[in-house]
Amino acid sequence: MDKLWTLQQTSFSPLKLQHNETVFMQGNGYMGTRGAFEERYPGEERTTFVHGVFDDVPIVFTELVNFPDWLNIEIILAGERFCMTDGQLLEFGRSLDLRNGLLNRKVLWRSPKGLTTSLEFKRFVSFTDVHLTCMQVTIIAQDYNGTLEIRSGLNANTDNLNYKHWEWLGQGFEDQTIWLKLKTKSTKIVAGMAERLQIVGETALESDFWDVTGCPTLRLKTTLTAGHPLQIEKVAAIFTSRDVNDPLEMAKNKLAALPKAAWDELWNPHVLCWEENWNKSDVIIEGDEKAQLALRFNLYNLLIAASRYDEHVNIGAKTLSGYGYRGHSFWDTEIFILPYFTFTQPDIARNLLSYRYHNLPGAREKAQANGFEGAQFPWESAGSGREVTPTWVPNPDDPTKLIRIWTGDIQIHISADIAFAIWQYWIVSGDDDFMVKRGAEIILDTARFWVSRAEWNQEKERYEFNKVIGPDENHDHVNNNAYTNYLVHWHLQLAVQLVKWLKKHDPLAATRLFALLELNENDIDQFKKIAEKIYRPFDADTKLVEQFDGYFALQYIDLKALEGRKESIQGMLGIEKTNQTQILKQPDVIMLMNLFPDEFDLDVIRKNYQFYTERTDLTYGSSLGPSIQSIVASRLQMVDQAYAYFLQAAFTDIDNLRGNAEDGIHAASAGGLWQTVVFGFAGLRYENDGWSLNPQLPPTWKRLAFKFRWRGEEIKVDLRPERYAET
Ligand code: IFM
């Protein structure tokens, strides 16, 4: 077992089921399945989500639908059901091989009647044939001869936290295969699933099909002889009407085309495909094994979350790994996750940006509904690209009361974040085609939104953005949030430059786009004029950027005096009270300086870093915070601090640092982690003219190596600090 690639669980803890389900997550960019055990346990949250399969639900509008369970296998050994909480668990070990997504569990179990059996479970979700999953169970009776009964069904009675989304359409059994057909209640997406179960190399003594409505089940019975291994193989196929016309037929055909024992046939190309992915996207750290493994764990979770084929899906804030945020996507994708793909697998980045392009109609609808022009992207986005941020949610402390959520109304910076990600992708990939066909339309139509959203302050002779929420969500309805204003300024300038470029590069496309968006030269002048006059707070004396109007006058709270707390400041003080303090949920001005390092001199960055860091709730505020702090600390050559924040991001989910890993992977933190290493420790900087490195590695790191793509060319970075050079 390679400890730099393998995540291990050495003891079974029924109280940590859900946390471990998140950690032992598997997926392939089409579907994602939590690391639940094959047999069932109370308190588990077994889910499989498939990208783009959303259905309507109260309060949060829409959510990813939990698919029928393909994992379940019940094993009955000489009449006793295998269950790790009964009898005696003599040995237990589980591992996830990050190199190829293989989940393996080895158990030595003594039944209540005293019979000992060893069981090994292996499973993977195919990276090559994304509709397929494969599982193998090897069973050895240690000290007895007896019967073995296996029951395995496709259980459609799954729900999303008690909310049912599936309508049952049919089920059946043919050619040793069970099948199930369903439809989501509101979105009418049809799913077809099929499953085949067999004893490898043997014919079962008995085999039946139990036609239980909603849970077609296969049952196999045979005998176990002491010391002789017996192997069970299960393959399952999932298709939906989002992928093909007849999902059920496709699922059945898929299984019918597989050889009798399919593991090797599916496993070999799967491993090669993983190898290709890691070859492009791995990061090697030498001298710090814990950091290496944790980093790979986070990258693995990004690799299994991103669709390779579907331009109409994004990555949710919790990937496909849990109910948190119900599969909705935020700026987390563009600002935190996308750089990993832009730099290492630009095709995936292009897909993700295309999702925003296809969802322009939803963004235009939102702008119009709010009385604005152009395109205003939703704060939370799902299948259709319409705003799906809940407006009211029950107060967790008193469910009879509701809390108003304002982010969907006024957290407007996401439209500029998307423009930023497109620009970054363009600069790095040199993909002019994307810019001409898709990127420019997004950048210009969102620029138009800014023009109509800006407010002219006659007295101060400047444009302002009032009543907004910046990245720091502890403060709502603030005026002139620095992050928002600076970003819009940049966005409008970019729009002006882009028009110039487009006219020169592809005049016909420019004319077409102007006609499509009904733009004229006055509009472009307007972009320029507003950009010049947008208020961008900066105090030349203190060198501080005020996060928003009046921030400095808010109450200071000494976070150090509250060390040891177990909840966020907002949780302790409540929303209203926190609003009155200077405590930030996550970096805001520091976030700005992270995105535009060249706009501010180092002294300004240092002063703002010092000022805002001590006011930011980095332990229990947002998980998006630590990675950004780390990158900026690296830039300021504060390597120890950068490393401390790096660790905080790296172990967010593995060690459940925020106590909510059961809701799913913190995807933005995972994406930010890659940035802490590449933009932070390696100091990769890029601009129109090219890229450069300015490395400063943590003291124990003997080597940092990774690849990235720059305008079609593969660049290999291999950093070995001189202090470790052989003498
Ligand atoms: O997008 C983030 C936001 O910045 C902080 N709250 C959680 C969201 C989803 O991760």
Side-chain angles (χ1 to χ4, degrees), residues 459-559:
E459 195 193 322
K460 297 190 169 147
E461 296 197 349
R462 66 192 193 194
Y463 283 99
E464 301 185 340
F465 289 91
N466 294 324
K467 296 200 169 42
V468 303
I469 301 179
D472 158 36
E473 294 169 345
N474 275 357
H475 299 94
D476 59 67
H477 292 86
V478 301
N479 293 345
N480 293 311
N481 164 248
Y483 178 88
T484 307
N485 286 19
Y486 274 78
L487 232 72
V488 176
H489 165 80
W490 170 87
H491 184 166
L492 290 175
Q493 282 187 329
L494 171 71
V496 174
Q497 293 307 320
L498 186 62
V499 167
K500 262 195 210 147
W501 174 83
L502 194 60
K503 281 183 176 166
K504 210 166 146 204
H505 176 81
D506 191 339
L508 208 65
T511 311
R512 252 190 258 125
L513 193 55
F514 266 53
L516 178 79
L517 299 180
E518 295 178 14
L519 277 178
N520 58 42
E521 289 310 320
N522 289 340
D523 293 312
I524 312 305
D525 286 346
Q526 187 79 341
F527 292 172
K528 211 185 293 171
K529 194 173 121 207
I530 295 184
E532 274 162 16
K533 293 266 177 189
I534 286 181
Y535 169 51
R536 288 177 293 148
F538 180 67
D539 184 318
D541 293 334
T542 60
K543 305 214 164 151
L544 290 180
V545 171
E546 187 171 31
Q547 190 180 302
F548 52 81
D549 293 352
Y551 171 84
F552 290 147
L554 296 176
Q555 184 195 351
Y556 172 77
I557 289 193
D558 182 4
L559 279 176

Side-chain angles (χ1 to χ4, degrees), residues 70 131-133 154 177-180 192-196 235-239 247-248 250-255:
W70 63 268
H131 299 276
L132 286 175
T133 68
L154 278 173
T177 300
I178 47 172
W179 59 264
L180 187 61
M193 293 180 71
E195 174 193 311
R196 192 181 78 181
V235 271
I238 303 181
F239 281 86
L248 178 60
M250 285 298 286
K252 286 188 200 166
N253 292 344
K254 195 88 207 160
L255 295 194

Side-chain angles (χ1 to χ4, degrees), residues 44-196:
E44 65 185 4
E45 213 154 76
R46 46 204 303 128
T47 64
T48 291
F49 296 120
V50 171
H51 260 313
V53 181
F54 284 95
D55 197 39
D56 299 356
V57 66
I59 302 176
V60 292
F61 298 109
T62 184
E63 64 181 358
L64 281 175
V65 176
N66 185 13
F67 265 64
D69 179 25
W70 63 268
L71 287 185
N72 185 223
I73 289 193
E74 298 299 331
I75 300 172
I76 293 123
L77 300 156
E80 292 179 281
R81 183 187 288 254
F82 166 64
C83 173
M84 296 190 292
T85 50
D86 292 341
Q88 260 179 291
L89 192 56
L90 303 174
E91 286 169 24
F92 171 90
R94 186 154 68 143
S95 62
L96 176 64
D97 189 340
L98 301 170
R99 243 178 323 213
N100 49 42
L102 180 72
L103 188 57
N104 182 305
R105 172 171 53 131
K106 284 187 182 150
V107 168
L108 188 64
W109 182 67
R110 183 162 300 145
S111 72
K113 286 190 184 153
L115 304 182
T116 312
T117 313
S118 84
L119 300 104
E120 181 175 8
F121 298 82
K122 292 201 241 172
R123 65 184 202 231
F124 66 96
V125 175
S126 172
F127 227 56
T128 349
D129 204 333
V130 294
H131 299 276
L132 286 175
T133 68
C134 192
M135 182 190 290
Q136 231 178 37
V137 190
T138 307
I139 304 173
I140 310 176
Q142 299 287 315
D143 48 13
Y144 66 97
N145 298 329
T147 54
L148 166 71
E149 189 180 327
I150 307 282
R151 296 174 193 163
S152 171
L154 278 173
N155 186 3
N157 298 313
T158 43
D159 55 37
N160 281 45
L161 303 169
N162 295 329
Y163 196 86
K164 292 207 178 296
H165 285 290
W166 290 116
E167 257 172 32
W168 177 89
L169 295 182
Q171 66 182 49
F173 170 70
E174 16 178 296
D175 300 331
Q176 301 306 308
T177 300
I178 47 172
W179 59 264
L180 187 61
K181 188 173 177 184
L182 319 122
K183 189 162 72 176
T184 54
K185 280 192 186 144
S186 326
T187 46
K188 311 287 176 208
I189 298 172
V190 177
M193 293 180 71
E195 174 193 311
R196 192 181 78 181

Side-chain angles (χ1 to χ4, degrees), residues 317 325 330-332 379 471 473 585-586 622 624:
Y325 296 116
F330 299 67
W331 71 317
D332 303 32
W379 177 243
E473 294 169 345
K585 180 174 169 182
Q586 65 204 85
S622 167
L624 280 64

Side-chain angles (χ1 to χ4, degrees), residues 319-343:
T319 66
L320 294 174
S321 66
Y323 288 118
Y325 296 116
R326 311 307 175 106
H328 298 181
S329 305
F330 299 67
W331 71 317
D332 303 32
T333 305
E334 281 76 15
I335 298 296
F336 292 82
I337 300 170
L338 211 85
Y340 178 50
F341 293 115
T342 294
F343 279 86

Side-chain angles (χ1 to χ4, degrees), residues 291-304:
Q292 171 71 88
L293 180 64
L295 175 60
R296 284 194 172 131
F297 165 81
N298 283 280
L299 301 184
Y300 162 87
N301 274 291
L302 297 177
L303 291 173
I304 63 173

